[in-house]
Amino acid sequence: MSLLSIKSLSKNFGGLQALNQITLDVTEGSVHGLMGANGAGKTTLFSIIAGNQRATTGTILFAGQPINGLRPDQVCKRGISRTFQIVRPFAGLTVRENVEIAILYGRQTPPKVSEAAALAQDILADIGLDALSDQPAGSLTLSGRKRLEVARALGTEPRLLMLDEVMAGLTPVEVTDMIASLRRVKDSHGLTILIIEHVMSALTDMSDTITVLHHGEKIAQGTPKQIADNAAVQEAYFGIAEPLEAPA
Amino acid sequence: MTIPFISTNSSLPAVSATVIGAVLIVGLGVTMGSYWTVVALNLFMWIALTQSWSLFSGMTGYISLGHVVAYGIGAYLVAVTFKMIPLWLSIPLGGLAAGLFALIVAIPVLRVRGPYFVILTFGLAELVKYILLYTETTFGKSSRLLFGAPKTEVLLYWVAALAVIATLITYFVGRSRFGKGLAAVREDETAAETIGVPVTRLKVLAFAASAVIPGMIGGLMAMRSTYFDVLQVFNPTISFSIVTMAIIGGAGDARGPILGALFMLGLAELLWSTAPQLYFILLGLFLIGFVLFAPNGLIGLIKRRKQPKGSVS
Amino acid sequence: MESLLSGQLLFAALVLGGLYALIALGLNLVYGTMRLLNIAHGDLLMIGGYGAFWCFTLTGMSPLLGLPVIAAITAGLGIALYYLLFRGQLSSGKPIPQIEANSLLLFFGVSVVTQNVIALAFSATPRAYRYLDDVYHFGQVAMTGNRIAALAIALTCLVAIILVLNRTMFGMSIKALIQNRDAARIVGINVERVQLTSIALGFGVAGIAGGLVSMAEQISPFMGFPFTIASFVVIIMGGLGNVFGGIIAGFLLAFIEIYAVALTSANMRSILLYGIFVAVLILRPQGLLGKARQS
Ligand SMILES: Nc1ncnc2c1ncn2[C@@H]1O[C@H](COP(=O)(O)OP(=O)(O)OP(=O)(O)O)[C@@H](O)[C@H]1O
Ligand SMILES: [Mg+2]
C-alpha cells in the first residue's frame, strides 16, 4: 500500500524545469531511495512535498488525502517530516530545545510542556546526541548538525521521514553509525523513509526501492540491484563527470 | 533597589519576588513624597512598556521601533472618551483598541522582515500620529483638556499592577509552548514551520498581545497631564527609549527590561531636569556601546559572570 | 486649479526632486556597498545646514563657497564612524541581515547623539538666514535665486557622480561592489578602500544637500528625519544600487509630494510621505534588496 503517492508533479523556476511530470509511489513501511546528479531536482521534490514550495502542477496524496497547497506546519501535523540538506539548526537554542520544539508543535497530539524535555532526551539518545543536549546547537560539528536534523524530524513523530543527504560530509565511521541509528529508529517507530543520498553504498544498503531522477525527469525505478544494472542510469551517471561514490 | 529574582524552574519565587518588589517600591514611593511617587510611576511605566515590547520583539527578533503607536492609541481613546465613560472601563478599552490595531496591521506588516520591519514600524507609528493630528486639527481639537484626572498615587497603583502583570507574562510565556514556538521563529522561520510551528499565527498573536498593556499604560499616562496632545503621546522618543532599555537590559529574559528601566531611569533622574540633551546623548552612546560590546545587555553580562564557560552566540 | 498647470509647481517639484535624488544617492552608496542602513542620513543634512548657516552668519561668506568645507566635514564624520563603528562589524563575518540590523541600531544611536549635540551647542530653536532670496520671473513663474542655485548645484553634483561611477575605474569598482561583494573581492578590488570612499562620498553629498536646503528653508536640530524617510522611499522605489532608478524615483517622489499637497493641504504632507513609505515597504517586502535574497 502506498503511503505517499505523487502524480504528474512538475515545478518550474522561471524558465528552468526543475521537475517534469514526476510520478512516484512510496510503499508504507519501506525505505525508498532517491538518487540523481547535482541539480536533478531531489531537494526540490522534498520541498514541494513538505509544503516549503508550491508545485507548478500535479497532485500529492498522503495516506489517501491530498496535501497540495497545505502550509508546511500542516503537512508536518499530517505526519511528514523532512531534514534540510543545508542544515538549519536553531543555533541559539540548546540541542534539546531544538527537539523539544519539534515535539511540542509537530505532533498530532502534542504532550505537555513539562514532558517534552524527557521525550527529547530519548530521541537524542536514539540518534547518539544525548551527551550534547545542553550545548547550543550552533556549537555542533557538521556531523552533529546532521544528526540534529534527524532528531528534530523524529521529534514530530512522522509517519514519513524524508532525509536529504544526512550522510554527506560524514566520515565512513560516522556513516556506519548513522545507518545503524536510522535502522533502529525506523524499526522502533514504524517509519516509512524517503532518502536522498549520494553515498551510493549507503543508499543501496538501506533502500528497498530506488528512484533515479535526472534533469527533473524520473529515468528509472527498481530494486538496488536493478538500478545498478540499468543502462539509462549508467548513461546518466557515467555520461557526466559525477562520481557514484561521494568522496569520504 | 534591585529586584531579587531567583531563577529556578519553580515559578513561585519569581512571582513572589516580582510582587513583593513592586509592592515595596510602590509603598516607598508613596510614603517618601510626591517626587518619589513620580519616580516610581515612571519606573513602572518603563518596565511595563519594555516587558510588553520584549514579549514580541525580544522573543521573535522582529525589532519594533514603533511601539509608541500602542501607547498613543490607548491614550487617544481614553482622552476622547474622558468623562463619557469611566476610567476603569476606558483604560482596558484603550488596551483593547491598541491590540486590535496591531491585529489588523499584523499580517501585511509581519511579512516584512529584518531591518525593513524596523523602519516600517517606525514609519507606521509616525503615519498614525500624523493621521490623528490631521483629524484632530481638522475638527479643531488638537489638544483636549483633561480636568479631574485621578491623583498620581492612584495612577501609580494601576501602572505598578500592569508592570507586574507584564513582567509575569514575559516570564511565563518564555517558559510556555507559545514562547518556545516564538524562539523557533526568531531562530529560523523556515525550519520552524517545517517542524509544525504555525509561524504566522504565533507572530500575529504575539504582536497583538504586546500592544495591549502599552495601550493601557498610554491611557493612564495621558491622565498625568491636564491636556491631551497627539504629538506628545505619539512621541517617537518613547519607542526609542523602549528599544534602548531593552537592549541595555537584555532581551529574552524577564529580568532584562527591569534592569534596563532601572538603568535608564537612574540616568534620567540625574540628567533629565538639568540637561535633557545630555541625557539623550548618553543614551545614544550607551545604545551604541551595548550593540557593539554587549549585545546581550546587562543580563548577558551578569549571566556571563555567573557561568564563565557559558557560550554566547 | 489653473495653478496646477502653472510652471510654479513644476519648478518646486524639480528643486525638491533634485535634492531628493542627491540625498538618496548618498544613502544608496552606503547601503549598496556596505549594507549599512543609515537612519542618521537626514541628520547629515542637518549638519550641512548648520555649517552653511554659520558660514554665512559668521563670515558673511556665500554658503555656496562653504559647501566644499561642509562636504569635507560630513565626509570626515563618515570616515570616523566607519573606523569607530562599522569596520569591525563588516569584517566580523556576521551574516548580512545581522549587519543590517546592527547598523540600523548603531546609526539610530548616532542620530540621537548628533541631534542632541547640535541642540546642546546651538539650541533647539529653528534658524534661518536670507541669501539669494531675490525673486526672478520667468513668464508666470517666480523663482528665488537660492532655489535656482540649489537646483543647479544638485544637478551638477548628480551628473558629476554619475560620470565618476560610469567612466572611471574607481566608479566601476563601487558598482561592482554593489553588485556582488565576493566577486568584487576576487577580481582584486580593494574593498576596504572602496567602502571608505563610498561612505565619504555618500556623507559628503548629504552635507552639500543640507547646505542647499538651508538656503531656502529654516533649519533645526531635528529637521533630518523626514529627509531620511524620503531617501529611504526613494531608494526602495528606485531599486538598490540602481543609481539611475534612484534619481528617477527622487524626482517621482518630489512630484507626487508637491502636486498632492497642492491638491489637498500642507497638513497632508507628512501623512503622504509616511503613507508612501509604509505602502512601499509593505508592497515590496524584499525592500531595498532589489535582487532577491537567497531563501
Ligand atoms: N529556489 C530556486 N529558484 C530557482 N532555481 C532553483 C531553486 N531551487 C532549486 N533550483 C534549481 O532547480 C534545480 C534542482 O535543484 P535541487 O536543489 O532540487 O537539486 P538536487 O537534486 O537536490 O541537487 P543536489 O544533489 O546538488 O542537492 C537546480 O538546477 C537548481 O539550481
Ligand atoms: Mg539537494
Side-chain angles (χ1 to χ4, degrees):
Chain A
M1 202 214 114
S2 67
L3 180 62
L4 181 74
S5 182
I6 294 169
K7 290 201 181 60
S8 319
L9 191 84
S10 297
K11 175 73 183 175
N12 299 340
F13 289 114
L16 180 88
Q17 183 90 20
L19 290 172
N20 189 9
Q21 297 286 322
I22 301 291
T23 293
L24 183 72
D25 282 273
V26 179
T27 311
E28 175 133 41
S30 70
V31 175
H32 194 123
L34 208 53
M35 57 182 269
N38 292 120
K42 308 176 295 292
T43 299
T44 305
L45 184 62
F46 271 24
S47 294
I48 291 171
I49 297 171
N52 299 117
Q53 288 180 357
R54 291 265 163 126
T56 310
T57 59
T59 57
I60 309 170
L61 297 181
F62 180 68
Q65 302 283 318
I67 57 166
N68 298 60
L70 292 184
R71 292 194 313 265
D73 56 298
Q74 295 170 319
V75 174
C76 176
K77 282 244 163 44
R78 297 283 181 97
I80 299 180
S81 196
R82 72 170 288 193
T83 66
F84 289 96
Q85 176 180 358
I86 298 162
V87 294
R88 312 188 74 127
F90 301 136
L93 306 180
T94 66
V95 169
R96 190 193 297 112
E97 282 171 325
N98 269 261
V99 183
E100 271 180 54
I101 292 167
I103 291 173
L104 289 170
Y105 279 96
R107 300 188 174 183
Q108 231 153 20
T109 46
K112 287 210 206 88
V113 179
S114 55
E115 294 163 1
L119 292 168
Q121 197 62 27
D122 289 346
I123 292 170
L124 289 168
D126 275 343
I127 219 76
L129 266 182
D130 47 334
L132 299 174
S133 43
D134 289 317
Q135 298 293 317
S139 71
L140 293 179
T141 60
L142 178 65
S143 154
R145 288 167 192 235
K146 295 257 173 185
R147 284 173 182 277
L148 181 57
E149 283 287 323
V150 179
R152 210 167 52 180
L154 285 172
T156 69
E157 252 180 8
R159 289 174 71 187
L160 175 66
L161 177 63
M162 303 199 293
L163 303 170
D164 195 348
E165 301 200 23
V166 290
M167 296 178 227
L170 303 195
T171 64
V173 180
E174 287 168 337
V175 168
T176 318
D177 277 1
M178 181 68 99
I179 293 176
S181 300
L182 290 176
R183 286 228 166 87
R184 247 192 344 267
V185 294
K186 175 181 184 299
D187 292 339
S188 59
H189 293 71
L191 292 175
T192 306
I193 294 179
L194 185 57
I195 180 170
I196 298 174
E197 206 50 68
H198 278 304
V199 183
M200 201 51 201
S201 59
L203 196 67
T204 48
D205 212 26
M206 291 193 65
S207 308
D208 303 304
T209 312
I210 293 178
T211 297
V212 185
L213 294 184
H214 192 61
H215 292 321
E217 315 246 0
K218 175 173 163 181
I219 57 165
Q221 178 169 321
T223 62
K225 176 91 179 62
Q226 288 166 339
I227 293 300
D229 298 339
N230 185 299
V233 179
Q234 305 264 341
E235 159 109 33
Y237 265 90
F238 298 114
I240 57 175
E242 187 61 42
L244 272 177
E245 294 283 345
Chain B
M1 218 168 9
T2 51
I3 300 203
F5 256 112
I6 304 146
S7 70
T8 67
N9 286 331
S10 151
S11 53
L12 199 64
V15 175
S16 35
T18 311
V19 174
I20 292 169
V23 169
L24 276 180
I25 295 173
V26 168
L28 263 175
V30 174
T31 49
M32 284 181 63
S34 60
Y35 173 75
W36 289 101
T37 311
V38 173
V39 172
L41 180 69
N42 284 332
L43 175 67
F44 284 116
M45 171 186 89
W46 289 120
I47 291 178
L49 291 177
T50 310
Q51 291 288 16
S52 307
W53 178 90
S54 96
L55 176 63
F56 171 73
S57 293
M59 303 230 183
T60 61
Y62 280 70
I63 297 175
S64 159
L65 201 50
H67 234 59
V68 72
V69 78
Y71 182 96
I73 286 175
Y76 185 63
L77 190 130
V78 169
V80 167
T81 62
F82 190 62
K83 291 276 152 83
M84 297 196 297
I85 56 175
L87 283 179
W88 60 262
L89 184 61
S90 68
I91 284 167
L93 279 180
L96 221 58
L100 205 63
F101 171 78
L103 199 62
I104 291 168
V105 300
I107 298 271
V109 167
L110 288 169
R111 279 173 49 227
V112 181
R113 299 216 196 153
Y116 315 105
F117 177 83
V118 186
I119 51 177
L120 172 60
T121 50
F122 190 99
L124 189 63
E126 290 286 283
L127 179 62
V128 173
K129 173 175 95 179
Y130 284 115
I131 289 175
L132 285 184
L133 191 65
Y134 183 75
T135 39
E136 289 282 284
T137 36
T138 310
F139 295 110
K141 286 192 170 155
S142 63
S143 66
R144 297 164 185 270
L145 294 181
L146 305 170
F147 287 130
K151 287 195 300 190
T152 314
E153 285 82 24
V154 180
L155 295 177
L156 173 62
Y157 302 142
W158 279 76
V159 174
L162 288 176
V164 169
I165 294 171
T167 303
L168 294 179
I169 290 176
T170 309
Y171 178 81
F172 284 111
V173 165
R175 278 152 185 73
S176 69
R177 187 185 306 263
F178 185 48
K180 287 177 196 281
L182 293 176
V185 170
R186 179 185 65 219
E187 294 289 327
D188 187 331
E189 289 190 30
T190 304
E193 63 180 356
T194 304
I195 58 166
V197 180
V199 170
T200 305
R201 196 189 323 153
L202 295 196
K203 283 194 299 190
V204 169
L205 268 178
F207 190 60
S210 82
V212 175
I213 286 183
M216 294 168 71
I217 294 285
L220 286 162
M221 296 310 278
M223 298 286 108
R224 287 228 40 222
S225 172
T226 47
Y227 66 98
F228 170 82
D229 175 8
V230 173
L231 289 179
Q232 194 178 317
V233 299
F234 281 93
N235 189 338
T237 58
I238 295 178
S239 301
F240 164 66
S241 300
I242 295 175
V243 175
T244 307
M245 267 186 296
I247 286 171
I248 290 177
D253 185 310
R255 290 168 296 180
I258 296 175
L259 291 177
L262 281 169
F263 184 93
M264 214 186 81
L265 204 73
L267 204 63
E269 285 311 314
L270 282 177
L271 294 173
W272 179 251
S273 50
T274 50
Q277 279 125 6
L278 197 58
Y279 164 74
F280 277 112
I281 291 170
L282 284 178
L283 211 56
L285 291 177
F286 274 115
L287 175 65
I288 293 171
F290 272 87
V291 169
L292 285 180
F293 304 114
N296 296 315
L298 290 170
I299 197 74
L301 294 178
I302 291 171
K303 277 183 183 163
R304 194 153 44 169
R305 180 148 305 172
K306 265 191 203 154
Q307 32 173 212
K309 278 207 78 184
S311 54
V312 183
S313 58
Chain C
M1 268 306 111
E2 84 275 55
S3 68
L4 276 186
L5 298 173
S6 78
Q8 199 67 46
L9 287 176
L10 183 69
F11 176 66
L14 281 175
V15 174
L16 189 63
L19 287 171
Y20 277 172
L22 191 60
I23 300 163
L25 184 60
L27 189 67
N28 221 345
L29 281 177
V30 171
Y31 179 76
T33 52
M34 286 164 282
R35 295 295 192 270
L36 302 179
L37 285 160
N38 184 2
I39 203 149
H41 197 67
D43 299 311
L44 302 172
L45 266 83
M46 183 265 292
I47 294 176
Y50 273 89
F53 174 83
W54 289 115
C55 170
F56 182 74
T57 46
L58 290 183
T59 68
M61 205 169 78
S62 158
L64 298 178
L65 294 177
L67 286 179
V69 181
I70 292 168
I73 291 173
T74 46
L77 182 66
I79 291 171
L81 289 177
Y82 178 79
Y83 281 114
L84 283 174
L85 305 183
F86 299 113
R87 194 157 166 257
Q89 297 275 315
L90 289 166
S91 57
S92 66
K94 289 196 180 104
I96 283 175
Q98 203 185 336
I99 290 182
E100 289 178 339
N102 279 357
S103 73
L104 188 76
L105 291 171
L106 291 171
F107 271 125
F108 205 76
V110 169
S111 169
V112 171
V113 172
T114 314
Q115 290 175 6
N116 286 283
V117 164
I118 297 290
L120 199 61
F122 306 132
S123 95
T125 325
R127 293 166 188 267
Y129 58 96
R130 290 161 64 94
Y131 175 71
L132 286 185
D133 58 351
D134 335 282
V135 180
Y136 302 89
H137 287 274
F138 295 88
Q140 301 288 322
V141 186
M143 306 176 183
T144 55
N146 50 33
R147 285 178 195 274
I148 298 175
L151 179 58
I153 293 174
L155 291 178
T156 311
C157 289
L158 282 171
V159 170
I161 293 171
I162 289 171
L163 285 179
V164 168
L165 285 179
N166 285 336
R167 298 285 164 81
T168 67
M169 267 316 276
F170 199 76
M172 297 293 186
S173 38
I174 289 184
K175 289 205 326 193
L177 196 60
I178 292 174
Q179 293 300 323
N180 189 330
R181 278 185 92 68
D182 297 330
R185 206 183 293 272
I186 290 164
V187 299
I189 289 173
N190 183 340
V191 172
E192 172 93 21
R193 209 163 55 113
V194 176
Q195 288 177 343
L196 201 57
T197 321
S198 301
I199 203 168
L201 189 58
F203 274 49
V205 164
I208 291 179
L212 298 179
V213 167
S214 75
M215 294 193 302
E217 281 173 37
Q218 61 177 14
I219 56 172
S220 87
F222 306 103
M223 67 184 267
F225 212 81
F227 288 105
T228 304
I229 291 292
S231 33
F232 270 102
V233 172
V234 168
I235 72 170
I236 297 168
M237 289 203 301
L240 161 76
N242 187 339
V243 174
F244 269 111
I247 289 168
I248 290 165
F251 282 99
L252 185 66
L253 179 67
F255 273 85
I256 295 174
E257 189 179 318
I258 295 285
Y259 280 88
V261 166
L263 280 171
T264 54
S265 77
N267 293 337
M268 286 294 287
R269 186 172 171 266
S270 299
I271 298 184
L272 197 78
L273 188 59
Y274 286 101
I276 296 176
F277 178 70
V278 167
V280 165
L281 269 172
I282 285 178
L283 296 179
R284 282 198 63 188
Q286 75 277 32
L288 320 171
L289 281 175
K291 44 186 180 179
R293 182 185 300 185
Q294 135 181 12
S295 60

